[in-house]
Amino acid sequence: DLNDPNRSSRRVAYYYDHDVGNYHFFLGHPMKPHRIRMTHNLVSNYGLCDEVEEDAPEAGGEGSRALNDVASGMDAEMKDAVQWEKRIAHGPRGKHMQVFRPRRANKTDMTRFHTDEYIDLLEAVTPETAEAMTGGGIRCLTGEDCPAFEGVFEFCTISAGGSLGAAEKLNSGSADIAVNWAGGLHHAKKSEASGFCYVNDIVLGILELLRIHPRVLYIDVDVHHGDGVEEAFYTTDRVMTASFHRFGEFFPGTGDVRDTGIKRGKGYAVNVPLRDGITDATYHTIFKPVIKEIIDRFQPGAIVLQMGADSLSGDKLGGFNMTLNGHAECASFVRSFNIPVLMVGGGGYTIKNVAKAWTKETAIMCGVDLPEDLPYNRYMEYFGPRYKLEVLPTNVDDHNPPEYVEALRKAIFENLKQIPH
Ligand code: TV7
Ligand code: CA
Ligand code: ZN
């Protein structure tokens, strides 16, 4: 179909640090950075990027410049254009995107949002000193949700560095879509870790995009409310936040449909509180019209898309009943508006499904349709017995009757009337 907006190609920049899978929250903790390594291995083995071995050397070879995100000067820019042309000519398999190892975020980057005191503490804390060091207005780092695990600060430099690098790449105009699966940590507050999140890479990424773009849209499909991002921009009309989440006796407890922002930001926070068991069909009767209306009215220059995979069926913590196709449909719908997108990860606790979702969504952004049979990959045993690129629905009840979802949609459209066209 020549008129299909998903048909045309986009320049995709993918950010991955080979060390990210080596960080561990404590034993038994549901958050597993290893899922990002699994995703990358599946992405590689599907042929979406050139390095199949995840520990491929970064020096030498054609891809070496791309792996070091240090483009500077005219020469680099020219080479960049040539690289893209090669990639586009190369299709249909092979190099569908540029792979970058992101720079690490430093304390100056992090304190664009967080307080100096909090970041100093985060850098200094160790599993042994956590109890003694926390307190004095800086909460969490001792509880079970946000433990001071070995290397917690380094982990944050990777996660935040990826989203910052990705945002800088979009700002430079040399990519249309940038991906950082190590990001999406939407609960972190100015001076507080919360819900497995320590540094809010999303807020940092949005602040970077705001240097260039008058308006930035944030969309959050994680099953949890994107409270940290919402709070950071609750009083501004330059960032619109839209979170779809499970609501009612569920973490973090915020995100009522009536919470829409304050001061200049009134009307610029959108909350879609859903009940458990939601299916693809129900989800998209609200996701698509709400996102379309927001984009039509707000006219964002860039979109940050948080693709938390805990909204998939069978997630250990989630409770929704979305399939892989339904989840991925969020990504293709957002892509179809042809606005620069920074796509990040987030939650996702049944890790084989996280790897499938984020692989499929990477491919969608590249405009590539992947075969259902999984290619052989390092983590093959996780994907048995079917070895398919699928997440199937279960027979749980959908506690979102059509009348409920329709009333929500109406209330949200009513709120959106405050936004000038
Ligand atoms: C973005 N749910 C993050 C989502 C953050 C959810 C919570 C757990 C949990 C933590 C564990 C653990 C767990 C089986 C699940 C009120 C509490 C209840 C800690 C046990 N098992 C994202 C955060 C949420 C930690 N927190 O949006 C270590 O579940 O509900 C709560 C708070 C107090 C603390 N306890 C849970 O997806 C990335 N935590 C096992 C070991
Ligand atoms: Ca959400
Ligand atoms: Zn979540």
Side-chain angles (χ1 to χ4, degrees), residues 394-415:
T394 68
N395 59 3
V396 298
D397 288 337
D398 183 349
H399 289 104
N400 300 268
E403 317 84 74
Y404 174 74
V405 179
E406 180 54 18
L408 262 183
R409 197 192 59 76
K410 276 206 171 123
I412 292 163
F413 270 60
E414 202 53 44
N415 293 337

Side-chain angles (χ1 to χ4, degrees), residues 50-293:
D50 29 4
E51 7 121 68
V52 171
E53 265 311 300
E54 67 165 296
D55 300 312
E58 285 154 43
E62 195 226 353
S64 62
R65 200 195 63 77
L67 279 166
N68 295 302
D69 190 10
V70 289
S72 57
M74 290 284 282
D75 271 5
E77 227 169 273
M78 292 251 294
K79 276 189 205 157
D80 202 56
V82 172
Q83 290 274 320
W84 281 119
E85 271 182 26
K86 273 196 199 165
R87 273 173 173 79
I88 289 159
H90 201 282
R93 290 190 73 80
K95 296 162 200 163
H96 295 283
M97 57 188 187
Q98 273 193 305
V99 179
F100 295 99
R101 183 173 194 151
R103 68 180 182 88
R104 303 271 170 114
N106 58 36
K107 286 166 83 172
T108 311
D109 295 322
M110 293 176 181
T111 54
R112 283 199 216 162
F113 172 55
H114 296 284
T115 62
D116 291 7
E117 296 73 25
Y118 172 62
I119 295 301
D120 286 343
L121 180 123
L122 191 64
E123 188 186 30
V125 78
T126 67
E128 294 74 34
T129 59
E131 291 290 343
M133 285 182 69
T134 48
I138 292 158
R139 295 180 5 230
C140 214
L141 293 181
T142 52
E144 287 176 277
D145 276 353
C146 307
F149 62 88
E150 185 77 54
V152 60
F153 182 77
E154 270 179 16
F155 171 76
C156 296
T157 67
I158 294 173
S159 163
S163 295
L164 272 170
E168 287 161 0
K169 188 78 185 170
L170 294 175
N171 280 354
S172 78
S174 60
D176 307 308
I177 296 173
V179 181
N180 175 34
W181 294 126
L185 304 181
H186 59 176
H187 298 305
K189 310 287 159 56
K190 199 179 164 80
S191 65
E192 187 184 343
S194 169
F196 318 161
C197 307
Y198 303 79
V199 169
N200 202 314
D201 63 287
I202 302 168
V203 171
L204 298 177
I206 292 173
L207 290 172
E208 179 63 30
L209 292 168
L210 287 171
R211 290 180 161 188
I212 303 286
H213 298 286
R215 290 174 306 285
V216 174
L217 171 61
Y218 173 65
I219 302 171
D220 184 318
V221 308
D222 191 288
V223 74
H224 299 96
H225 178 227
D227 59 348
V229 184
E230 178 182 277
E231 185 179 293
F233 300 111
Y234 211 53
T235 62
T236 179
D237 55 4
R238 290 189 61 199
V239 178
M240 184 136 188
T241 62
S243 176
F244 298 75
H245 46 268
R246 181 169 169 193
F247 187 74
E249 290 176 58
F250 195 66
F251 185 87
T254 46
D256 192 290
V257 69
R258 292 164 298 190
D259 299 337
T260 61
I262 55 171
K263 300 185 184 160
R264 288 181 82 95
K266 190 158 167 41
Y268 291 83
V270 174
N271 280 301
V272 188
L274 301 164
R275 307 299 178 202
D276 55 2
I278 197 164
T279 59
D280 296 347
T282 315
Y283 196 89
H284 285 295
T285 63
I286 187 133
F287 183 83
K288 288 182 179 173
V290 165
I291 295 303
K292 184 178 185 323
E293 183 71 7

